[in-house]
Amino acid sequence: MTSPATTSTSRWARGVVLPVAAVLAVMVFALNSSGYVVTVIGFAAIYAIFVTGLNFFMGYTGQASFGQNAFAALGGYGSAILSGNYYWDPLLALVVSMAFAGVVAAIVGYPTLKLRGHYLAMATFALGLITYEISIEWTGLTSGYMGISGIPPLGVGRYELGTEKQMLVALTAFLLLGVWISTRLRDSRFGRALRAIAGSEPAAQALGINVARYKLMAFVVAALYASCAGSLFAHFVGFISPEVFGGAMVIQSFTMLFLGGIGTTWGPVIGALMVLMLPEFLRGLKELQDVVYSCVLVMILIFAPKGLAGLVALIPTRRAPAAPRPAEAK
Amino acid sequence: MPDLVQFAQSLVNGVGVGLIYGLVGIGFCVIYNASGIVNFAQGVFVMLGGMVCHALLSKLGLPMIVAAVLTVPIVALAGLAIEFLVVRPMWDRGAALFAIILATLATQIAIERLTILTLGDQPRTYPEFTLGGPLKLGSIAISYQLFWILGCGSLMVVLLWLFFTRTTAGRALRACSQNREAAALLGIPVSRMLMLSFALSAGLGAVAGILVTPMQVTAYNIGTPFGVNGFIAAIIGGFGSAAGALAGGVLLGVLQALAIVLLGAGFKNVAALSVLLIVLFLFPSGIFAALQGSKGH
């Protein structure tokens, strides 16, 4: 594995400078556009954070979770309740919600991650469903189907990000920070252990990796990302309801992950942008949006299970692939 | 504190819904045994059963029996479509297990949205098959529909049992569940068995949906709860045995009915899902399998 210190300049340019420049370019483009574009790009940034976490657990570690929306809901409702009803500082609410989601992930992840195959899939799916049901039924806390409105925008102390464009800058900063952390984690000892687990659990075990503990840690990291994305959504839109974090979110985020390329650093960002731009090109098909997402996802799963980024790798190049490819999900 | 009558009443209702869960659970097992795939879109067949039957009744004005009999092959066709368009291409390419699960989940969302667009998003229901109920046993009311569920449910189990033990196709399916490679070597067309299992499983789901709709309502989104509860029933039954799934379904239905009496209706899904997680954590191979295992030692 290459450590950042020995990374060649060209790889540095391709892997870091170019994508960051692209993200900033998209942001600048959005800042010079109408409010609607700002909203779409803002959603893309939020989803990209969520999917980066998902990618961490599924792409790098090779595990499956169909219930990450549970942790987005914890973050979203945590932020909405703490900052809306109790007038907490939004940033503090976000951090506290993240910590809460992390603790919950550790507690439920411990027994859940011992399961395998279909049982793991169904158990994680159940986590998302339970959270969804609770957010509907616990009306005293969540207002049920009505949702919570009037959530204040992001801000620190007296400084409040009043406009959507200011918020977008903050979201971009969050996104770049999130991707940076994910990259650094991937190339750390921790990340290498996760990729070993993705490769072969018995082999990783034989190398002295505590498989159960590392899986749980990856699960918690993914939950932290999800919670952060949920909080940002609450502050960006100012309104949340159970549907926001429902089953459609699971399908949408997986579509992003596979479209952008599972296991790649920037795949989640590209995927989120592509999926959220899709309805713009399919105007008139607004009602069919979820159907289109589902069909796209199924087609990718059939024809390009490594995502569109995987297709690019099939194109023959003169240069031998220098960088070791991140482990693919099982 | 709820009184005895209330308890007995909820037991009766629980058995009815539980049999439905059992049928869905058997649907899970049929596909799983043939292919090793868990079809997460199983609940969609229950939803389609109720919705299609209602559409045939209300839009075409067909008599109940005709509508019910027509619904089953229509939904079985939907099952075949899922098999042909989604599962088979992935199966042939040797796709990862979780990718297939994800694809069936996406299929469920797509079918739900298409149902909203074609049939609407309003919950609907139709009258019980035999009007004039309920039957009164003291203070306990037993709706006639429950007898239909009991009757059709047992009929399905008997038919399934005959199918699996007496027909070539059924025996071939059982061979596949024991060892797919060996079955293929013996000349059993394993991939055609996958098709058969989807049609069978979808038909079972449709029967469940047709039977249960008069007791509650059907709507585009009832698929997930029925799917999850059917899955729980199958797990309690040890995943793979039809009788086990049916027993698991009844057990779950009764537990849920009691939970409603004690906790209120709002959290019944939370209760069921918690049961699922607890069962998974404690008995990863099913309660009945665990009991048998402990007897053996």
Side-chain angles (χ1 to χ4, degrees):
Chain A
M1 299 300 139
T2 41
S3 71
T6 59
T7 312
S8 69
T9 341
S10 74
R11 232 195 112 210
W12 173 257
R14 273 189 299 132
V16 178
V17 177
L18 269 180
V20 170
V23 168
L24 292 177
V26 169
M27 184 191 80
V28 170
F29 163 73
L31 289 180
N32 289 310
S33 308
S34 66
Y36 184 66
V37 178
V38 176
T39 310
V40 172
I41 304 286
F43 281 146
I46 292 169
Y47 259 100
I49 293 172
F50 179 81
V51 180
T52 300
L54 190 65
N55 188 33
F56 202 85
F57 188 61
M58 297 194 60
Y60 298 165
T61 322
Q63 303 301 307
S65 171
F66 299 92
Q68 292 305 109
N69 54 337
F71 302 109
L74 285 185
Y77 276 102
S79 273
I81 291 161
L82 290 178
S83 69
N85 298 359
Y86 296 98
Y87 308 106
W88 282 32
D89 197 280
L91 206 58
L92 182 64
L94 181 142
V95 172
V96 169
S97 304
M98 269 175 80
F100 180 68
V103 171
V104 171
I107 294 172
V108 299
Y110 180 71
T112 306
L113 296 182
K114 287 186 175 161
L115 301 169
R116 294 178 175 282
H118 300 110
Y119 289 168
L120 176 65
M122 189 45 103
T124 51
F125 187 55
L127 293 180
L129 284 177
I130 289 181
T131 318
Y132 176 74
E133 289 287 338
I134 291 178
S135 66
I136 289 174
E137 298 296 341
W138 196 350
T139 45
L141 190 70
T142 64
S143 314
Y145 283 113
M146 302 293 290
I148 300 178
S149 55
I151 304 161
L154 217 52
V156 183
R158 289 186 294 112
Y159 298 100
E160 204 172 62
L161 303 176
T163 69
E164 272 202 321
K165 289 188 176 177
Q166 290 171 356
M167 197 87 101
L168 181 66
V169 177
L171 289 178
T172 312
F174 266 100
L175 171 63
L176 289 176
L177 181 69
V179 174
W180 181 70
I181 293 174
S182 142
T183 316
R184 291 306 304 261
L185 278 177
R186 189 190 66 167
D187 292 333
S188 70
R189 185 183 168 79
F190 172 56
R192 287 196 299 275
L194 297 185
R195 280 144 81 190
I197 292 172
S200 159
E201 276 185 37
Q205 191 93 56
L207 288 171
I209 294 169
N210 187 336
V211 173
R213 211 175 86 204
Y214 274 104
K215 271 197 213 170
L216 186 61
M217 281 161 76
F219 188 66
V220 170
V221 170
L224 294 177
Y225 273 89
S227 167
C228 177
S231 294
L232 291 175
F233 183 96
H235 290 303
F236 185 59
V237 182
F239 167 79
I240 53 168
S241 69
E243 281 310 322
V244 171
F245 308 110
M249 182 189 197
V250 178
I251 296 302
Q252 230 180 61
S253 54
F254 275 106
T255 313
M256 291 168 181
L257 182 59
F258 280 94
L259 204 57
I262 187 165
T264 61
T265 312
W266 293 97
V269 183
I270 299 166
L273 203 57
M274 282 168 83
V275 166
L276 287 172
M277 296 304 274
L278 197 66
E280 306 312 308
F281 298 117
L282 297 170
R283 279 202 182 280
L285 287 178
K286 203 85 183 167
E287 291 185 316
L288 282 172
Q289 187 181 315
D290 284 330
V291 179
V292 173
Y293 287 154
S294 304
C295 294
V296 168
L297 178 58
V298 168
M299 263 150 57
I300 296 174
L301 286 171
I302 294 172
F303 297 110
K306 290 168 186 170
L308 291 192
L311 283 186
V312 176
L314 294 178
I315 302 167
T317 47
R318 266 174 297 160
R319 196 178 2 187
R325 291 197 58 75
E328 306 297 345
K330 281 266 139 47
Chain B
M1 191 64 200
D3 55 20
L4 218 57
V5 174
Q6 231 177 325
F7 261 120
Q9 181 72 60
S10 69
L11 280 182
V12 169
N13 297 342
V15 169
V17 181
L19 282 168
I20 298 293
Y21 294 158
L23 286 181
V24 183
I26 296 175
F28 270 111
C29 298
V30 168
I31 293 182
Y32 179 76
N33 280 343
S35 62
I37 293 171
V38 171
N39 171 29
F40 272 50
Q42 198 67 32
V44 145
F45 300 136
V46 182
M47 182 272 283
L48 284 178
M51 295 297 275
V52 170
C53 191
H54 179 269
L56 291 177
L57 282 171
S58 62
K59 298 212 167 127
L60 300 181
L62 296 175
M64 184 66 225
I65 178 87
V66 181
V69 169
L70 273 180
T71 300
V72 177
I74 293 176
V75 177
L77 272 180
L80 280 180
I82 293 179
E83 193 271 348
F84 184 73
L85 295 174
V86 179
V87 177
R88 172 166 308 270
M90 303 191 74
W91 171 262
D92 287 346
R93 286 175 172 75
L97 172 106
F98 96 91
I100 299 182
I101 293 176
L102 186 54
T104 56
L105 235 134
T107 309
Q108 164 153 4
I109 299 267
I111 293 179
E112 284 178 355
R113 299 293 148 170
L114 288 173
T115 308
I116 296 180
L117 292 177
T118 50
L119 297 173
D121 62 353
Q122 290 305 308
R124 72 239 11 227
T125 186
Y126 44 78
E128 299 191 354
F129 296 179
T130 311
L131 299 175
L135 180 71
K136 285 279 200 183
L137 279 183
S139 325
I140 304 165
I142 305 176
S143 95
Y144 285 159
Q145 192 65 22
L146 186 65
F147 294 105
W148 276 100
I149 295 180
L150 270 173
C152 294
S154 6
L155 183 70
M156 295 312 290
V157 172
V158 170
L159 285 178
L160 274 177
W161 180 74
L162 287 175
F163 172 74
F164 278 117
T165 53
R166 296 284 191 273
T167 66
T168 319
R171 286 181 180 155
L173 261 179
R174 273 167 61 217
C176 287
S177 75
Q178 284 176 7
N179 187 332
R180 270 190 296 285
E181 280 81 29
L185 283 174
L186 289 170
I188 292 171
V190 174
S191 76
R192 210 178 302 160
M193 290 296 132
L194 184 65
M195 230 165 90
L196 177 65
S197 71
F198 264 86
L200 193 62
S201 168
L204 272 172
V207 170
I210 296 167
L211 286 171
V212 79
T213 300
M215 296 188 78
Q216 28 190 277
V217 292
T218 185
Y220 72 95
N221 58 0
I222 63 155
T224 305
F226 274 109
V228 169
N229 285 319
F231 186 83
I232 303 173
I235 285 185
I236 296 177
F239 227 106
S241 124
L246 207 62
V250 173
L251 185 63
L252 178 69
V254 168
L255 278 178
Q256 233 180 34
L258 292 179
I260 293 174
V261 172
L262 295 174
L263 306 171
F267 285 93
K268 78 168 186 191
N269 288 334
V270 177
L273 289 162
S274 308
V275 168
L276 166 71
L277 288 180
I278 292 167
V279 169
L280 281 178
F281 295 160
L282 296 182
F283 311 101
S285 53
I287 285 182
F288 290 130
L291 287 180
Q292 275 165 8
S294 63
K295 250 183 257 165
H297 288 300

